[in-house]
Every structure is written in structure tokens, then in C-alpha cells.
Amino acid sequence: ADKMASYASSTSDFPEKWDPDTRFCKGLGVEGEGKIIELRFHTITASDRVERYIAVILDVKIAYRVELNKYGVEVALDPKKEPGSPRILTADGLLATLKDSYTLIPASYQAKLFPSVPSRFEFWALASTDARHLKVGDEVHFKTAGDSMFIKRFFHTSMGDFSHLEGGQVMSQISKVSDKFGAATALPQDNMDGCDSDEWSD
């Protein structure tokens, strides 16, 4: 049975060829975390095809701009360690980043999002992806395709068996798991002092 059959559905027409990557996904994108409040099917009927999405409505806890270093590699950001980072977006900043693609959301659904409801934003994931297994209440980390509401990839933020542990304890548990595979798995930087893992993303 289709898990999403009971969810609401919406539709919109797009009078051009459907090419969201070119039309909506310019820029480096946004990364963030939030809790799923609602899910629905959304069908886009374009001039050349029909595309189905899962609309993921989130209460966004944090969102920040993706940034690349001089080698074109993404620079990690830990918002807890860098609460004042200029990369962190306000709700207004996030809305401004998504506004071009937001024109695809029917007005009746836009009315249920920020600024009417604090921190509530809508993102779309292709219905053919693992997004179809998402459930209301799930907490997810997401990355968008360019500065748009289209989800490029996501993962659940709870860590299964490790979910009750603090970050340091999680790393300790993961290290114990690694130890079972022998010392050969040790990396050169494991023996270096004074380097946070953050520094390795430069």
C-alpha cells in the first residue's frame, strides 16, 4: 500500500518546459535542520511533462548558506560552535533565498507558512526518492539544490542507537565500533594533536 495515499495533494500548472535546475536552482544553496509538520503530494503539469513531488513542510530550527573554499569544496559549519556566523540565515533571509521557487506553491498553502507561521517553510523532494518514506514528526537535515526549495539531499538527524548520547559519546561509540576492524583503520591525523575535525574541511 502507498504510505502517502492518505496525505493531501495539490497541483499547479507551469506554462513552460520543466527545467527547475536552470530556472530555479542558481546559487550554492542552503543547508539546515527542521522537524516535519506536514507532508503532501504536489503535481506540476508543465508544457512538456508532469512531475510529482513530496512537499515537506518543516519547522526550521537552523538554516545557513552553503559556502565553498578556494578549491571548490564545501566548508562545514557547526552552528552550535559558530552561533554568530554570517552564513546563518534569519527566517526573512531564508524566505528571500527561496522566494523565486516559492512562486510554485499554491497561495492557499503559502498562507500556512512563514511569515504567517513562525519558522515554517516548505521544501520539495522528488516523489521518486526516499522522501516518500518520510513521516510527520521526523527530524531531518537537508540541503537544497541551489537557492531554491528543491531538496538535493537529506538525512534523519537522530542517530539510531546513539540518539541518547552526547556528541562526544557518539564519537567514542563509533571509535569502539572502528576498533573492531583493527588498527589498520587508523588514519595519520588520528595521531596528531590540536586539530579539530572542522579544520580538515578547509
Side-chain angles (χ1 to χ4, degrees):
D2 190 332
K3 290 182 181 177
M4 301 219 30
S6 61
Y7 285 81
S9 62
S10 54
T11 61
S12 54
D13 294 328
F14 189 72
E16 305 164 30
K17 288 190 174 181
W18 186 241
D19 184 9
D21 287 350
T22 303
R23 176 67 180 77
F24 298 107
C25 302
K26 298 174 178 69
L28 295 176
V30 171
E31 199 163 344
E33 294 186 356
K35 184 175 184 177
I36 299 176
I37 302 302
E38 189 183 331
L39 294 160
R40 77 172 189 279
F41 269 130
H42 187 85
T43 304
I44 287 277
T45 304
S47 65
D48 60 334
R49 62 192 168 112
V50 172
E51 192 71 84
R52 290 177 176 82
Y53 290 90
I54 292 167
V56 182
I57 296 86
L58 293 173
D59 273 355
V60 174
K61 294 180 179 176
I62 186 80
Y64 51 92
R65 297 185 188 285
V66 172
E67 192 173 276
L68 305 181
N69 65 15
K70 60 185 177 183
Y71 304 109
V73 177
E74 286 186 17
V75 179
L77 174 69
D78 183 343
K80 292 189 184 78
K81 290 182 183 175
E82 301 178 60
S85 170
R87 291 171 58 188
I88 295 175
L89 292 164
T90 62
D92 286 320
L94 179 57
L95 184 61
T97 303
L98 305 177
K99 71 177 188 299
D100 196 19
S101 57
Y102 250 44
T103 58
L104 297 167
I105 303 173
S108 59
Y109 289 97
Q110 281 199 43
K112 301 175 184 177
L113 304 172
F114 179 83
S116 300
V117 181
S119 304
R120 189 157 298 177
F121 290 86
E122 179 166 314
F123 297 88
W124 288 6
L126 280 167
S128 56
T129 67
D130 283 346
R132 65 187 184 278
H133 301 303
L134 289 170
K135 298 187 293 294
V136 169
D138 284 355
E139 299 199 3
V140 294
H141 183 109
F142 64 89
K143 188 175 291 184
T144 65
D147 294 340
S148 77
M149 66 175 179
F150 294 98
I151 293 176
K152 184 176 176 181
R153 58 181 181 268
F154 72 89
F155 59 83
H156 287 85
T157 50
S158 64
M159 293 199 49
D161 294 340
F162 301 142
S163 59
H164 62 288
L165 301 174
E166 296 296 321
Q169 293 174 301
V170 170
M171 294 314 299
S172 169
Q173 290 294 322
I174 291 172
S175 297
K176 286 176 189 169
V177 173
S178 307
D179 288 346
K180 292 178 184 174
F181 297 100
T185 57
L187 299 172
Q189 64 263 32
D190 289 347
N191 302 318
M192 296 182 185
D193 294 324
C195 286
D196 288 336
S197 58
D198 294 12
E199 295 174 25
W200 289 96
S201 60
D202 292 338

